[in-house]
Amino acid sequence: MVTSPPGSAVPRLVVAAPSSGSGKTTVATGLMAALTARGLAVSPHKVGPDYIDPGYHALATGRLGRNLDAYMCGPGLVGPLFVNGARGCDIAVVEGVMGLYDGAAGEGELASTAHVAKLLRAPVVLVVDASSQSRSVAALVHGFVSWDPEVRIGGVILNKVASDRHEALLREAMDSVGVPVLGVLRRAPRVGVPSRHLGLVPVAERGSEAVGAVAAMAAQVADGCDVEALVGLARSAGVLSCAGWDAGEVLAPPPPPPLPVPSLGAAPPDPAFGLRARPRTPDGPRRVAVAGGAAFTFSYAEHSELLAAAGAEVVVFDPLRDEELPEGTGGLVIGGGFPEVYASELSANEGLRKSVVELALSGAPVAAECAGLLYLCRELDGLPMCGVLDASARMSDRLTLGYRDAVAVSDSALAVAGTRMRGHEFHRTTVEPGAGAAPAWGMRTPERRVEGFVERGVHASYLHTHWAAEPGVARRFVERCRTS
């Protein structure tokens, strides 16, 4: 009987590039699909906060795509989160973000692909856009190899190669660098993965077209890359010393404090000191409805896992199709996505909008991030939304993008005031006003400002956060479900 290695020892490699647009997603997704087609259980991962690429990874592998973000979660959680995702797998493929050495602005290597590769003790495959160059490719690769000796670039995949002659020139140049060429992908029509204002169109919106796109990526990689050599490189990754992250363990209640040692002559301590039971809550889990479907595709896998570990029954619903919240809903989570694309359909679903308002007015906890914030506003681009918040949202020409260091300004269903969290903003919309009487967050970077809304049980903000960094968020949310 063949068994998969433990997550800490699973073979792994990181697919990186000198810059965005070089072909990382095509190679990473295609490799995942090609390995899956060979019967391997592939663990898919993405460096950074991006929600869209993991959707394609999940389609390629049949497993949840998971993010590894050293800024939002901290470097110490990258390994444990990886091991958790890689449990039971034969191999892991990690797609990088931007250029190999590009990280959080002003923070050095923090959260870069190179940083994560080092934390994972994983070799790197560099995908190079070789169009419009020949011998210069050697200088480019040499620079990336020598920049940080702790980053092990184990091979190169040359992308957008024009002809046999072009390939021969590139291979001759690469001989002088000493880095093996593990694949050559010819210049070809772009694989059918359309983009729009925030990047690739998510899998959930494309259906069978996305399946065809992933199959095309797999064929490109299988035909142009030495897949056996890539697997061999993955097997050279070092064993990780960390244990896997586990939602149940991180939410386990801390042990009670030790009993005080009595002084001579003092009365003995109360045996129940420090062992007071928590107030009883109703038996059984409380139902937490999580928005899904084509309009709300942005969610980290660990959020639902933490909610379940905190005692919730997590039920996914589709705001484009379902006319009311799931029966018995005690809490609501509305993550990111593209409500601006589906504004007409969301507005037309009056039954669900009324159901959301009723839940919010009851004081039940409602967590809304970015797209969820827009949905709770009075209107979006002039179309009626839920009206839970007295605010108006509209599309904007300005892209708001980047990591944020934030602190909770107001007590809410997610956090007590003063809780510090790191997050990410990524949108082309604006909300007026930008903050309520009780703001959700005080942004510390890149500039100081308050943002978001806390009203009754509602916490609504543009800020995307990763709850694995602060698991108590999930516990507090579910406890609020039980008391609201």
Side-chain angles (χ1 to χ4, degrees):
M1 179 179 178
V2 177
T3 58
S4 300
S8 58
V10 70
R12 74 201 79 101
L13 56 80
V14 174
V15 178
S19 65
S20 296
S22 299
K24 289 191 304 292
T25 299
T26 295
V27 171
T29 306
L31 180 59
M32 292 174 190
L35 292 171
T36 300
R38 293 184 173 211
L40 297 177
V42 181
S43 181
H45 302 266
K46 171 69 180 180
V47 177
D50 176 69
Y51 294 98
I52 298 176
D53 290 345
Y56 286 90
H57 298 170
L59 190 59
T61 64
R63 297 177 64 91
L64 286 173
R66 294 178 183 267
N67 295 72
L68 301 171
D69 196 303
Y71 183 89
M72 290 204 294
C73 295
L77 269 182
V78 168
L81 288 171
F82 170 83
V83 173
N84 174 55
R87 285 191 179 104
C89 288
D90 303 308
I91 191 169
V93 178
V94 182
E95 180 184 345
V97 60
M98 299 187 294
L100 174 60
Y101 295 109
D102 299 324
E107 299 280 356
E109 73 170 5
L110 177 63
S112 67
T113 303
H115 185 206
V116 171
K118 290 193 285 187
L119 292 170
L120 296 179
R121 304 186 67 194
V124 173
V125 176
L126 195 67
V127 180
V128 178
D129 179 352
S131 61
S132 304
Q133 61 178 319
S134 57
R135 191 165 178 262
S136 296
V137 74
L140 175 68
V141 173
H142 174 74
F144 274 81
V145 169
S146 60
W147 179 262
D148 185 346
E150 294 182 14
V151 177
R152 181 163 62 96
I153 297 179
V156 170
I157 294 175
L158 302 171
N159 193 22
K160 302 180 184 178
V161 176
S163 64
D164 290 346
R165 174 61 176 160
H166 188 200
E167 178 180 341
L169 292 172
L170 293 168
R171 286 186 178 274
E172 180 182 359
M174 286 300 302
D175 285 343
S176 65
V177 181
V179 178
V181 175
L182 300 182
V184 175
L185 304 183
R186 291 302 172 89
R187 190 177 298 167
R190 180 179 173 85
V191 174
V193 183
S195 298
R196 61 177 179 223
H197 57 284
L198 293 183
L200 301 181
V201 177
V203 163
E205 298 185 41
R206 303 190 61 222
S208 61
E209 292 180 350
V211 175
V214 170
M217 295 179 202
Q220 276 189 299
V221 170
D223 292 342
C225 296
D226 186 341
V227 176
E228 291 300 330
L230 290 167
V231 171
L233 180 62
R235 288 178 178 148
S236 71
V239 175
L240 299 175
S241 59
C242 60
W245 180 88
D246 182 271
E249 291 181 2
V250 298
L251 284 177
L259 298 176
V261 177
S263 59
L264 291 176
D270 179 355
F273 180 84
L275 301 174
R276 306 288 186 192
R278 292 185 177 184
R280 291 184 59 83
T281 57
D283 292 334
R286 289 305 300 268
R287 179 167 287 190
V288 174
V290 177
F296 298 97
T297 55
F298 294 3
S299 177
Y300 296 126
E302 291 81 5
H303 288 200
S304 290
E305 292 168 354
L306 283 165
L307 287 169
E313 177 194 2
V314 179
V315 180
V316 179
F317 73 103
D318 186 348
L320 294 178
R321 300 179 182 275
D322 296 319
E323 296 182 357
E324 59 183 16
L325 291 171
E327 184 179 356
T329 293
L332 174 61
V333 176
I334 316 173
F338 292 97
E340 62 271 26
V341 175
Y342 296 96
S344 296
E345 294 93 326
L346 292 170
S347 182
N349 192 347
E350 295 183 16
L352 181 63
R353 291 196 285 119
K354 180 181 178 181
S355 184
V356 170
V357 171
E358 290 174 349
L359 183 74
L361 290 177
S362 75
V366 178
E369 288 186 351
C370 200
L373 165 66
L374 305 184
Y375 185 54
L376 295 185
C377 285
R378 185 177 62 253
E379 62 178 9
L380 171 56
D381 286 335
L383 294 171
M385 292 290 126
C386 292
V388 171
L389 304 174
D390 186 16
S392 177
R394 59 178 175 81
M395 286 291 293
S396 168
D397 294 332
R398 179 173 177 265
L399 174 64
T400 300
L401 170 67
Y403 284 124
R404 305 289 185 258
D405 187 358
V407 61
V409 175
S410 311
D411 286 343
S412 73
L414 292 185
V416 297
T419 301
R420 184 176 174 182
M421 291 190 74
R422 286 182 159 185
H424 185 261
E425 279 191 90
F426 187 33
H427 57 89
R428 284 188 185 272
T429 59
T430 184
V431 169
E432 294 292 340
W441 300 108
M443 301 295 187
R444 297 158 54 93
T445 59
E447 71 279 336
R448 291 185 177 271
R449 59 187 171 91
V450 293
E451 188 267 341
F453 303 79
V454 173
E455 297 181 8
R456 296 176 297 276
V458 175
H459 183 285
S461 165
Y462 267 123
L463 189 68
H464 293 290
T465 58
H466 200 304
W467 292 0
E470 188 63 46
V473 165
R475 180 192 291 115
R476 184 176 175 88
F477 186 89
V478 174
E479 287 178 347
R480 183 68 176 263
C481 289
R482 290 176 170 145
T483 58
S484 61

